[in-house]
Amino acid sequence: MVSGKYSAVSGALTRELAMSNIASNLANVNSNGFKKDRIGFSALLSGVKQTRETSGINYARTRVINTDFSQGGMQTTNRSLDVAIDGPGFFKVRKGNETFYTRAGHLNLDNNGALMTDEGCLVLGSGNAPLQLDISQGKNIVIAESGEISVNGELSGDSLQVFAIPAQSRLTKVGHSLYKLEQGGDQPADAFRVLQGNLETSNVSMMEEMTSMIAAQRAFEAHTKVVQSYSKITDKQDELGSIS
């Protein structure tokens, strides 16, 4: 009987984690370039292992938390330093000695012509060097679909690079739509377009997340009711006492 109670408790805890993940997705529904997370659950043990290693108790666990890197929608802003990637890939940025990847393309220029993100990260161009534009004669900036940059009708000699990550599962979220590549490397992306005057919206669907939250809440309530039922049965057993 106690084993069933433990199984129900573990089930409730996993549903609580699912609701926390859904809440995080919903909180970023308006964050440019944000990618939603998905949690997978599984039984901890099954078959012979369950009997031998956990005395017949089958716990639920979080099997995996995956980031869904599917593309979000496109929001037209007509701002010259707003850029979106149509297709796979990431912009590569640097802050201090750390390198990050992002699809959030709301960019700015500092007083020296360095292209930066809202978080103060330097945007990298060819050769992994920070993109530096000559804005002494004006700021009429045109970014082609290939990423090539022109300033006042003259090619800058550099371009906004898009990088592919072969092993996206190794990207870790660090906040503000930035990702850290824990292991492995990148390579120049292909089959993409850089869309100037656009921003990629979050790939979170509010309707989908709300539906998932309702389902998780109902599952959580079902598990907690099972726990309460086991507690009531235990109380009745205590009232009956034991036969010596």
Side-chain angles (χ1 to χ4, degrees), residues 24-35:
S24 175
N25 288 340
L26 286 172
N28 287 280
V29 69
N30 293 319
S31 299
N32 293 320
F34 179 82
K35 302 301 176 187

Side-chain angles (χ1 to χ4, degrees), residues 55-120:
S55 302
I57 304 173
N58 191 7
Y59 298 102
R61 67 170 178 177
T62 303
R63 178 172 58 85
V64 65
I65 300 178
N66 285 324
T67 299
D68 179 355
F69 286 103
S70 62
Q71 184 168 308
M74 294 295 166
Q75 177 186 3
T76 301
T77 66
N78 294 318
R79 180 175 176 269
S80 63
L81 291 179
D82 282 346
V83 287
I85 302 172
D86 180 22
F90 298 84
F91 299 122
K92 194 173 183 178
V93 300
R94 181 181 299 154
K95 190 170 187 178
N97 295 322
E98 292 191 288
T99 300
F100 304 99
Y101 298 86
T102 185
R103 287 180 66 94
H106 183 74
L107 307 180
N108 300 283
L109 285 172
D110 69 5
N111 294 331
N112 299 315
L115 201 58
M116 308 184 73
T117 69
D118 280 343
E119 305 306 320

Side-chain angles (χ1 to χ4, degrees), residues 62-201:
T62 303
R63 178 172 58 85
V64 65
I65 300 178
N66 285 324
T67 299
D68 179 355
F69 286 103
S70 62
Q71 184 168 308
M74 294 295 166
Q75 177 186 3
T76 301
T77 66
N78 294 318
R79 180 175 176 269
S80 63
L81 291 179
D82 282 346
V83 287
I85 302 172
D86 180 22
F90 298 84
F91 299 122
K92 194 173 183 178
V93 300
R94 181 181 299 154
K95 190 170 187 178
N97 295 322
E98 292 191 288
T99 300
F100 304 99
Y101 298 86
T102 185
R103 287 180 66 94
H106 183 74
L107 307 180
N108 300 283
L109 285 172
D110 69 5
N111 294 331
N112 299 315
L115 201 58
M116 308 184 73
T117 69
D118 280 343
E119 305 306 320
C121 298
L122 292 167
V123 180
L124 304 185
S126 58
N128 286 326
L131 268 170
Q132 191 83 26
L133 303 180
D134 182 6
I135 56 174
S136 58
Q137 302 300 318
K139 296 182 180 180
N140 182 20
I141 298 170
V142 176
I143 303 175
E145 291 186 354
S146 63
E148 195 172 53
I149 301 174
S150 300
V151 181
N152 302 318
E154 299 290 334
L155 290 175
S156 67
D158 208 341
S159 61
L160 186 59
Q161 298 290 308
V162 177
F163 296 86
I165 309 295
Q168 291 187 347
S169 60
R170 294 176 179 172
L171 287 172
T172 302
K173 285 185 176 182
V174 294
H176 306 290
S177 295
L178 295 173
Y179 298 88
K180 182 78 174 177
L181 184 58
E182 298 299 335
Q183 187 178 2
D186 57 46
Q187 60 191 37
D190 53 19
F192 70 87
R193 294 187 303 155
V194 176
L195 302 182
Q196 185 179 26
N198 290 270
L199 290 173
E200 181 184 2
T201 61

Side-chain angles (χ1 to χ4, degrees), residues 29-58:
V29 69
N30 293 319
S31 299
N32 293 320
F34 179 82
K35 302 301 176 187
K36 62 188 176 184
D37 286 332
R38 282 286 174 257
I39 297 182
F41 298 103
S42 66
L44 182 60
L45 297 171
S46 60
V48 176
K49 277 190 173 183
Q50 180 189 353
T51 304
R52 291 179 179 175
E53 298 182 23
T54 62
S55 302
I57 304 173
N58 191 7

Side-chain angles (χ1 to χ4, degrees), residues 214-243:
I214 292 171
Q217 287 176 329
R218 288 176 176 172
F220 177 81
E221 291 170 358
H223 282 100
T224 53
K225 287 179 180 178
V226 171
V227 174
Q228 292 169 359
S229 297
Y230 273 114
S231 296
K232 290 178 181 179
I233 293 173
T234 302
D235 291 341
K236 293 299 181 182
Q237 286 180 328
D238 292 339
E239 289 177 10
L240 292 172
S242 60
I243 300 174

